[in-house]
Amino acid sequence: MSQKVSLDPFTRVEGHLAIHLDVENFQITGAYCSGEMYRGIEYILKGRSPLDAQQITQRICGVCPTSQGIASILAQEEAYGIEPTQNGLLIRNIMLAGNYIQNHLTHFYHLSALDFIDVQGIQEYTGSDYFLNDLKDWIRSEINSKSVFPAAPFMPRYEGRYMQEFEGNITVLRNYFQALEMRALAHQLVAVFAGKMPHMATIIPSGVTEKVTTKKIAHCRSKLFKLRSFIEKSYLEDALLVANAFPEYFSMGKGCGNYMTYGVFLNLEQNNAPLFPRGVMLNNSLETLDTEYIAEEVKYSKYTPDSGRHKTDPSPHKEGAYSWIKAPRYKGKPMEVGPLARIMLAYDDPQCSEIRRATDSMLQRTGRSLDELDSCLGRHLARIIELQVIVRHCEQWIDQLDPLGETAKDFHIPNRAQGAGLTEAPRGALGHWLQIEGGKIDGYECIVPTTWNCSPKDNRDIPGPVEQALQGTTVADNTNPLEASRIVRAFDPCLACAVH
């Protein structure tokens, strides 16, 4: 007999998400992703100056505002018919790199790691010198005063099998706190030229309003050096520790098998070809991306039936609808976007040999195949793979900055124009579409990564990527659906973005 199981609210994600499951004989037979807000930022933009867009769209999300702002800038540059300065392009890459680092560290340590490490089991060891000496003073104080490990932010949690190795648990937990400092450092790397983070103050079409100086270059180098060290010595090893402790999660969470990327990190040395390529993989076949095939369907979304890619009219009481997220489709197919998609699209691209080598190295260390990356733990490893490549290139982008070069140039806002800004947020393919009429925004549309991944069923009743990844999963205890929680978090959902 089928039982309804709900993860509501779904914690440790950005925004308001609920996951509803049909479970029969401890196996998930149906899954439903529900975005539980409506925001209407596209409505807020209408009638404003196009130059307001990069600031307002950054407020879609506090975790990935960098990508939202840059997508808006790209749409404006296409509409204005301009290109960024060389310094502007390099700074844009550095900003994105810093945001990727911040996002991936946050995702692993502060959102996902608590699904795997046994925080509660550490309580009996709180008197050990090893434990006390490796945690922050305020944690040490809590332990001494209460004789138990402090609950927040680690409890409550689902019960289940957690990592058994004591040393491993302690190491990951210690790095949990260290990652908070690294997260702040990554924000600082972005803020060197952004002015502040979150929500960059300096970005404009063609570049940034900040000038390049040798002092700023030195600041960037110093911060990136520390971040790279933590990524290679801590993040990588901790992810491998979890991967070795939970090998079954390489066969759990298989998605829809279709991937899409918009390309990101333009490479000056390769005629501005993106470091991670643009493309589509449908039914294991690589295709050139054509955005005309992108549609948004709303059969199960809380919008009027005539809503879609170019129209968004809320309908909160729509019969049968279960989400405020639309259902984007490419050629009528659900598409997974994000780090896994970027690795899959780059792996067989002859221009991406460095990414292939990094992927092969990871597969060799874990004893896994490329196909096994399409899994819960595979998505975690994909983030490690791409960060290793990104930080190496970020060092080159910093070295290529020219203190004598311009960081922006003059431009004119046309009376009528349109533009598309396609980039890759840490979570995946991000598109902004802009229409200008009378020098003002006449229409604005965002399709963000979690709209793709956490989409509800489409007009043909085909589930979205996360919903498909959950189907068939065995749940050991219906009252503690830990397995489902791990699979969903591997996609790094951002509901603030998805319900923008």
Side-chain angles (χ1 to χ4, degrees):
M1 180 173 144
S2 181
Q3 179 181 353
K4 298 290 185 181
V5 176
S6 291
L7 293 80
D8 183 13
F10 194 96
T11 57
R12 281 186 275 121
V13 295
E14 173 67 24
H16 300 79
L17 172 67
I19 300 291
H20 303 289
L21 307 172
D22 295 327
V23 181
E24 188 169 355
N25 296 324
F26 299 101
Q27 189 171 65
I28 297 173
T29 57
Y32 309 88
C33 288
S34 178
E36 300 196 301
M37 288 182 61
Y38 171 70
R39 301 176 70 197
I41 285 180
E42 290 157 333
Y43 278 109
I44 295 172
L45 287 164
K46 192 165 183 178
R48 291 180 175 268
S49 166
L51 292 177
D52 290 343
Q54 71 265 21
Q55 291 302 324
I56 292 175
T57 57
Q58 285 189 76
R59 272 67 184 175
I60 287 175
C61 180
V63 179
C64 51
T66 306
S67 302
Q68 299 288 355
I70 287 175
S72 182
I73 290 296
L74 290 171
Q76 290 182 64
E77 287 176 348
E78 183 173 290
Y80 306 161
I82 62 171
E83 294 182 354
T85 63
Q86 179 168 312
N87 272 338
L89 188 149
L90 291 168
I91 291 169
R92 191 175 293 172
N93 282 351
I94 294 165
M95 288 173 166
L96 276 172
N99 191 227
Y100 269 62
I101 295 168
Q102 176 271 142
N103 187 93
H104 289 354
L105 292 180
T106 301
H107 172 255
F108 180 75
Y109 285 104
H110 308 128
L111 304 182
S112 295
L114 299 182
D115 284 337
F116 296 100
I117 63 173
D118 189 9
V119 177
Q120 192 170 18
I122 291 173
Q123 290 187 38
E124 61 187 278
Y125 298 102
T126 55
S128 72
D129 290 339
Y130 180 93
F131 180 77
L132 293 176
N133 291 335
D134 272 39
L135 294 184
K136 293 295 180 185
D137 291 340
W138 65 272
I139 289 292
R140 198 176 306 149
S141 175
E142 286 287 312
I143 295 170
N144 290 337
S145 64
K146 298 179 182 178
S147 298
V148 295
F149 193 84
F154 309 107
M155 303 294 177
R157 66 173 188 172
Y158 288 120
E159 296 304 319
R161 185 179 76 82
Y162 289 88
M163 195 157 60
Q164 301 298 304
E165 183 190 354
F166 168 65
E167 295 289 335
N169 281 309
I170 290 293
T171 297
V172 178
L173 184 61
R174 180 190 65 235
N175 289 333
Y176 173 104
F177 295 106
Q178 183 66 23
L180 291 170
E181 297 181 5
M182 293 298 108
R183 184 177 187 270
L185 192 63
H187 271 326
Q188 292 167 21
L189 172 61
V190 181
V192 169
F193 288 105
K196 68 184 186 71
M197 272 295 287
H199 307 137
M200 305 176 294
T202 65
I203 59 170
I204 59 172
S206 79
V208 297
T209 57
E210 287 288 303
K211 297 297 183 182
V212 175
T213 66
T214 55
K215 184 176 181 179
K216 289 174 184 175
I217 292 173
H219 279 321
C220 287
R221 285 174 178 162
S222 173
K223 296 177 194 307
L224 185 64
F225 176 81
K226 294 175 183 177
L227 289 165
R228 179 174 180 175
S229 178
F230 182 81
I231 290 167
E232 294 179 347
K233 295 178 181 178
S234 298
Y235 181 22
L236 171 60
E237 296 304 321
D238 290 348
L240 291 172
L241 196 65
V242 170
N244 291 331
F246 296 90
E248 66 273 21
Y249 279 85
F250 283 103
S251 59
M252 297 170 64
K254 183 175 178 62
C256 62
N258 300 322
Y259 305 103
M260 183 175 68
T261 64
Y262 288 162
V264 70
F265 297 115
L266 297 186
N267 194 336
L268 290 172
E269 297 177 351
Q270 295 185 5
N271 297 319
N272 287 348
L275 176 61
F276 290 86
R278 176 182 296 190
V280 172
M281 182 181 287
L282 274 174
N283 302 318
N284 294 318
S285 177
L286 291 174
E287 298 183 9
T288 301
L289 173 71
D290 184 347
T291 59
E292 292 302 312
Y293 288 113
I294 295 175
E296 286 191 297
E297 302 179 4
V298 295
K299 181 178 179 180
Y300 294 95
S301 304
K302 296 181 181 182
Y303 301 101
T304 59
D306 61 340
S307 293
R309 177 170 168 181
H310 298 294
K311 188 175 182 181
T312 303
D313 287 334
S315 181
H317 305 297
K318 179 178 170 184
E319 186 176 355
Y322 62 89
S323 181
W324 282 106
I325 305 173
K326 293 182 182 179
R329 296 294 184 264
Y330 184 85
K331 291 187 176 180
K333 303 290 185 181
M335 308 296 293
E336 178 171 344
V337 301
L340 176 62
R342 289 191 285 267
I343 295 301
M344 289 299 193
L345 266 294
Y347 190 80
D348 288 324
D349 190 316
Q351 302 299 317
C352 301
S353 57
E354 182 183 4
I355 298 172
R356 181 173 185 138
R357 288 195 300 271
T359 304
D360 286 340
S361 175
M362 179 65 75
L363 296 176
Q364 185 176 15
R365 289 194 66 173
T366 57
R368 299 293 163 183
S369 67
L370 183 66
D371 290 342
E372 287 179 292
L373 289 182
D374 183 7
S375 64
C376 176
L377 278 181
R379 293 183 181 91
H380 286 282
L381 296 187
R383 290 177 176 86
I384 297 285
I385 294 168
E386 70 174 13
L387 270 197
Q388 290 178 299
V389 175
I390 290 169
V391 295
R392 288 196 290 268
H393 279 267
C394 192
E395 291 174 344
Q396 299 171 20
W397 300 325
I398 293 170
D399 289 342
Q400 291 169 358
L401 289 171
D402 180 7
L404 300 179
E406 294 294 326
T407 56
K409 57 188 176 184
D410 292 337
F411 57 87
H412 170 71
I413 299 176
N415 188 60
R416 173 184 291 180
Q418 61 183 14
L422 305 180
T423 187
E424 288 282 316
R427 292 171 171 89
L430 171 65
H432 285 209
W433 286 265
L434 164 70
Q435 291 84 41
I436 298 173
E437 195 70 46
K440 303 292 184 181
I441 296 174
D442 187 57
Y444 207 98
E445 171 196 6
C446 307
I447 304 180
V448 309
T450 300
T451 315
W452 288 96
N453 287 337
C454 284
S455 68
K457 291 187 292 185
D458 60 26
N459 295 353
R460 293 160 298 283
D461 291 353
I462 298 173
V466 171
E467 294 179 339
Q468 290 192 38
L470 287 166
Q471 290 183 351
T473 299
T474 298
V475 179
D477 181 355
N478 291 354
T479 63
N480 288 282
L482 180 59
E483 298 85 358
S485 178
R486 287 167 171 165
I487 290 170
V488 174
R489 284 203 186 90
F491 283 87
D492 194 13
C494 178
L495 274 294
C497 284
V499 299
H500 59 271

